């Protein structure tokens, strides 16, 4: 059993919401449940189209898949979405250059299987907050090789330049993670519209505060907007139940 809540918000600066979320506590194909955050990019309407179309393609592929291994199911679905996005962009000049991040997860008993492309994130929050995914971004690469520290990276002018996205290249490479869940864990999936506005500790404090999942999710959105709301914001919260 799972408790979940999802929400997106346009923020305070953007004219369109290019974030898209999908949640299903029911089985999709051979996956017992499925959760996805996608943050689209591109010109007028292209980013909005990319995120929605990518999520729909992933869901359709998973629904039809005969694979049993959850990693392979997610991998093939993301690869197919990449192919479809590239094809659509080549057919319609208004969609040229579109792409999207994707972070997807499925809960398999006490384990969470995660796939990630781009800089949308998945965290496990309990007494501490732990980022499971690794950003595919130019700045994150500089942090990994020791050129930048975390504090400098947070305010770096190129922090939003991502190095991987669905639709960016003919082939896409996703990262995969398997996480064992513990009692009291809350899974947070989000776009960078949240994490660029709030420090990890602020997110942790909200999720450890009073209220049901819906209230906590809305508090995250409100806090991101109070801090400037410079981008669209997407949040999925998952609470595994014993």
């Amino acid at each position: 059993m799972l408790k979940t809540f999802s929400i997106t918000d346009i923020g305070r600066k953007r004219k369109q919401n290019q974030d898209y979320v999908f949640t299903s506590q029911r089985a999709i194909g051979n996956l017992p449940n499925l959760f996805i955050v996608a943050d689209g990019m591109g010109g007028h309407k292209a980013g909005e189209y990319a995120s929605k179309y990518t999520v729909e393609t992933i869901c359709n592929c998973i629904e039809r898949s005969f694979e049993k291994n959850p990693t392979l199911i997610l991998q093939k679905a993301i690869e197919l979405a990449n192919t479809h996005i590239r094809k659509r962009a080549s057919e319609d000049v208004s969609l040229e250059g579109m792409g999207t991040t994707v972070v997807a997860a499925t809960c398999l008993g006490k384990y969470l299987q995660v796939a990630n492309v781009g800089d949308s994130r998945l965290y496990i929050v309990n007494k501490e907050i732990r980022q499971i995914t690794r950003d595919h971004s130019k700045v994150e690469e500089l942090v990994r090789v020791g050129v930048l520290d975390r504090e400098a990276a947070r305010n770096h002018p190129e922090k939003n330049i991502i190095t991987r996205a669905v639709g960016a290249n003919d082939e896409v490479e996703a990262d995969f993670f398997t996480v064992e869940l513990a009692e009291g864990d809350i899974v947070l999936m989000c776009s960078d519209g949240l994490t660029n506005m709030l420090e990890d500790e602020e997110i942790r404090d909200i999720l450890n505060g009073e209220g049901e999942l819906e209230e906590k999710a809305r508090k995250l959105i409100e806090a991101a907007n109070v801090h400037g709301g410079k981008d669209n914001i997407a949040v999925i919260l998952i609470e595994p139940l014993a």
Side-chain angles (χ1 to χ4, degrees):
M1 289 290 294
L2 302 169
K3 263 191 193 176
T4 69
F5 184 77
S6 62
I7 187 171
T8 67
D9 188 85
I10 197 170
R12 293 190 167 176
K13 303 293 184 182
R14 298 296 176 94
K15 294 180 179 178
Q16 298 158 350
N17 190 350
Q18 297 185 331
D19 287 0
Y20 193 81
V21 298
F22 174 86
T23 67
S24 176
Q25 295 186 57
R26 296 183 178 182
I28 304 288
N30 287 327
L31 296 183
N33 46 67
L34 183 62
F35 307 92
I36 308 173
V37 169
D39 179 359
M41 63 202 77
H44 181 67
K45 292 286 185 182
E48 186 178 346
Y49 180 89
S51 57
K52 185 174 187 290
Y53 185 64
T54 292
V55 171
E56 289 173 348
T57 303
I58 287 172
C59 291
N60 289 338
C61 181
I62 291 172
E63 188 79 61
R64 299 192 309 267
S65 177
F66 292 103
E67 290 286 353
K68 299 294 185 184
N69 183 306
T71 298
L72 287 177
I73 293 171
L74 291 169
Q75 180 181 359
K76 290 184 177 183
I78 290 169
E79 288 173 352
L80 182 66
N82 187 73
T83 300
H84 282 205
I85 285 289
R86 297 283 289 176
K87 184 173 185 293
R88 288 292 297 118
S90 70
E91 295 168 345
D92 186 340
V93 68
S94 71
L95 300 177
E96 188 176 352
M98 71 174 172
T100 185
T101 70
V102 167
V103 58
T106 184
C107 191
L108 307 156
K110 65 176 182 176
Y111 291 96
L112 193 72
Q113 183 65 55
V114 183
N116 182 60
V117 180
D119 63 354
S120 293
R121 295 178 178 177
L122 185 144
Y123 291 87
I124 302 295
V125 184
N126 205 314
K127 292 177 182 176
E128 301 298 327
I129 181 167
R130 182 164 49 114
Q131 183 180 338
I132 303 302
T133 52
R134 292 190 296 267
D135 294 353
H136 300 139
S137 68
K138 188 173 180 180
V139 166
E140 180 63 21
E141 289 180 1
L142 294 175
V143 171
R144 283 181 204 165
V145 298
V147 174
L148 283 178
D149 61 27
R150 284 286 168 203
E151 191 57 39
R154 183 167 183 82
N155 300 304
H156 196 280
E158 297 182 331
K159 67 181 179 180
N160 292 326
I161 297 177
I162 61 175
T163 54
R164 295 189 215 171
V166 174
N169 296 294
D170 288 340
E171 295 185 359
V172 64
E173 181 184 358
D175 286 346
F176 297 93
F177 309 88
T178 302
V179 188
E180 184 173 2
L181 298 170
E183 186 178 350
D185 283 348
I186 294 177
V187 178
L188 164 66
M189 300 169 67
C190 60
S191 63
D192 65 349
L194 181 75
T195 52
N196 283 341
M197 294 294 100
L198 299 180
E199 300 282 356
D200 284 2
E201 292 72 22
E202 294 175 285
I203 294 171
R204 179 200 63 200
D205 289 347
I206 289 171
L207 293 183
N208 282 332
E210 296 295 322
E212 295 296 318
L213 283 191
E214 178 177 350
E215 185 179 352
K216 291 177 180 181
R218 294 190 186 281
K219 283 180 179 177
L220 289 174
I221 298 289
E222 181 182 3
N225 279 324
V226 166
H227 282 67
K230 294 180 181 178
D231 200 352
N232 310 142
I233 311 153
V235 169
I236 296 176
L237 296 180
I238 307 166
E239 191 173 62
L241 300 176

